[in-house]
Amino acid sequence: MKREQLEFLADNPFYTKRFAFYVGRRCRQATIKDIAQELKLDWDTVKTLEKQYMRAQLAKAGTPGSKAIGIDEISIRKGHAYRIVVSDLIRRRPIWFGGEDRSEASMAQFYDWLGENKADGIRLAVMDMWKPFANATRTHAPQAAILFDKFHIMRHLGEALDKVRKSEYARLSGKNRRYIKGQKYTLLSRRENLTLEGRRALKTLLAANKRLNTAYLLKESFGQLWDYKREGWARRFFENWRTSLKWQRLQPYEKFAEMINRHWDGIAAYCRSENKVSLGFVEGLNNKIRVIQRRAYGLRDEDYLRLKILTCMLPAL
């Protein structure tokens, strides 16, 4: 007995592709549970239909020959379980999700998937200062310039500032602590993002503690590094910034400066005009992934998470 395949049917033969795509579009704005309740369907049925829709999105989008890629890792569960996400920075969409961890071998899986010809076309790879990512890129795409993501670098500097805040809180006692307690967000946020009350608290904090005031001003001034268009000017700025740390007793900042010096080539690459790409997309994607993970809380289907991430920037079908 031969069963005829009907093109208009979904993978689940009880539904049409048209209905499957409707369910998939609805799941872009709502959870599986909400759509299942709305359409009076089983939870697993909705999930299956959505996965078919997302696979169709990926099939239509294809595998691009990326000229500039962004590499990042995400934590998929507690216990240091990581997966790697690679994005096309020009088309502004994630193109690969995989690996078993954030090792060089896992990063090499991306280049194997991409293929040698398309890997040869990569001219820029943006990543954090994680050595295995850089090593794999130098091995499989040696022609690509490596650029360390300024958002990750500034995050390291923010962590150094927070260590200074904690050390000052530990050093002081009694009433002198009241200006520091509970002000982590105020200190680490950009001034323009603070409310009027937050700016007043920041002003009071900086006036009350000289070391935190110095650390804060150094953090704010470091952002000027990304404005230089020539490596020589950028290097001169960094050396002056590093020299200003002397006698300040800011050990976390000294360690940060040493890290920048070790990774200078990947930072200086930002000065070259051919390496100017929108790095804000990577941060925006990270925020989207966090929302997806919150919505999918408790799901153990990694393939579903992979499809959600790879299709989150694609147009609806």
Side-chain angles (χ1 to χ4, degrees):
M1 179 178 174
K2 184 178 179 181
R3 188 167 68 176
E4 186 177 355
Q5 297 292 325
L6 300 177
E7 182 64 26
F8 64 87
L9 288 181
D11 293 345
N12 184 327
F14 293 102
Y15 304 97
T16 64
K17 282 185 179 179
R18 182 179 178 181
F19 182 72
F21 285 14
Y22 171 77
V23 171
R25 287 192 296 271
R26 290 288 294 111
C27 286
R28 287 166 69 92
Q29 286 84 35
T31 64
I32 294 176
K33 181 180 178 180
D34 290 339
I35 301 305
Q37 291 175 346
E38 176 187 328
L39 300 178
K40 305 296 189 292
L41 295 174
D42 181 70
W43 187 93
D44 289 314
T45 299
V46 173
K47 180 183 170 186
T48 299
L49 295 174
E50 185 191 6
K51 288 177 75 171
Q52 179 180 354
Y53 170 79
M54 292 188 291
R55 290 191 185 102
Q57 281 184 291
L58 288 178
K60 183 176 181 180
T63 305
S66 306
K67 300 296 182 184
I69 60 171
I71 304 169
D72 204 356
E73 79 273 357
I74 64 168
S75 174
I76 60 170
R77 67 180 71 92
K78 292 182 179 179
H80 301 287
Y82 293 99
R83 296 296 181 267
I84 300 171
V85 178
V86 181
S87 303
D88 185 320
L89 296 181
I90 296 175
R91 292 175 177 84
R92 300 173 69 83
R93 52 163 286 214
I95 58 174
W96 190 79
F97 171 98
E100 287 76 44
D101 46 30
R102 51 179 185 161
S103 65
E104 186 174 339
S106 288
M107 188 68 237
Q109 291 179 24
F110 162 71
Y111 291 106
D112 292 339
W113 169 83
L114 190 65
E116 187 175 342
N117 289 337
K118 289 184 177 179
D120 288 342
I122 298 174
R123 62 170 179 79
L124 179 67
V126 180
M127 63 190 73
D128 62 10
M129 292 178 287
W130 183 243
K131 193 173 181 179
F133 291 171
N135 288 344
T137 300
R138 291 188 182 106
T139 300
H140 297 276
Q143 77 291 339
I146 292 177
L147 175 63
F148 294 129
D149 183 2
K150 68 178 182 180
F151 292 104
H152 282 93
I153 293 171
M154 295 304 291
R155 193 174 299 156
H156 282 291
L157 183 53
E159 290 170 358
L161 175 58
D162 194 44
K163 288 179 181 177
V164 174
R165 180 188 67 85
K166 290 178 179 178
S167 68
E168 284 299 284
Y169 186 80
R171 184 179 66 86
L172 299 172
S173 61
K175 294 181 178 180
N176 292 326
R177 285 182 164 185
R178 69 182 185 275
Y179 299 110
I180 300 175
K181 187 175 182 180
Q183 296 300 325
K184 177 179 178 179
Y185 174 80
T186 302
L187 197 60
L188 297 183
S189 297
R190 294 177 64 89
R191 189 187 295 267
E192 56 267 28
N193 294 336
L194 293 174
T195 62
L196 181 60
E197 182 180 351
R199 293 182 185 183
R200 287 173 179 167
L202 177 63
K203 184 178 180 180
T204 302
L205 170 62
L206 299 182
N209 191 290
K210 183 179 178 181
R211 190 177 297 177
L212 276 178
N213 181 61
T214 301
Y216 181 82
L217 293 176
L218 284 167
K219 187 206 78 158
E220 291 293 292
S221 65
F222 189 84
Q224 185 180 334
L225 177 67
W226 315 112
D227 297 333
Y228 290 102
K229 297 181 180 179
R230 293 187 181 180
E231 182 180 345
W233 296 346
R235 185 69 195 190
R236 190 177 302 116
F237 167 81
F238 171 66
E239 291 297 342
N240 290 336
W241 188 88
R242 192 179 187 184
T243 301
S244 67
L245 296 179
K246 288 185 178 180
W247 319 116
Q248 300 296 343
R249 295 178 299 162
L250 297 172
Q251 188 177 10
Y253 274 51
E254 292 171 5
K255 290 183 177 180
F256 171 79
E258 290 172 4
M259 180 186 69
I260 295 299
N261 192 52
R262 289 195 306 270
H263 297 86
W264 179 255
D265 288 344
I267 296 169
Y270 193 79
C271 299
R272 300 171 200 139
S273 58
E274 64 270 22
N275 294 338
K276 298 293 185 183
V277 293
S278 175
L279 300 182
F281 162 74
V282 177
E283 283 300 293
L285 176 61
N286 287 340
N287 291 333
K288 270 188 172 289
I289 290 174
R290 283 190 282 270
V291 171
I292 290 169
Q293 288 180 302
R294 282 198 297 271
R295 281 184 176 177
Y297 179 77
L299 284 179
R300 300 185 183 276
D301 187 345
E302 193 171 312
D303 182 54
Y304 178 77
L305 177 62
R306 180 185 70 86
L307 290 170
K308 289 292 282 186
I309 290 173
L310 294 180
T311 59
C312 68
M313 298 292 191
L314 293 179
L317 293 179

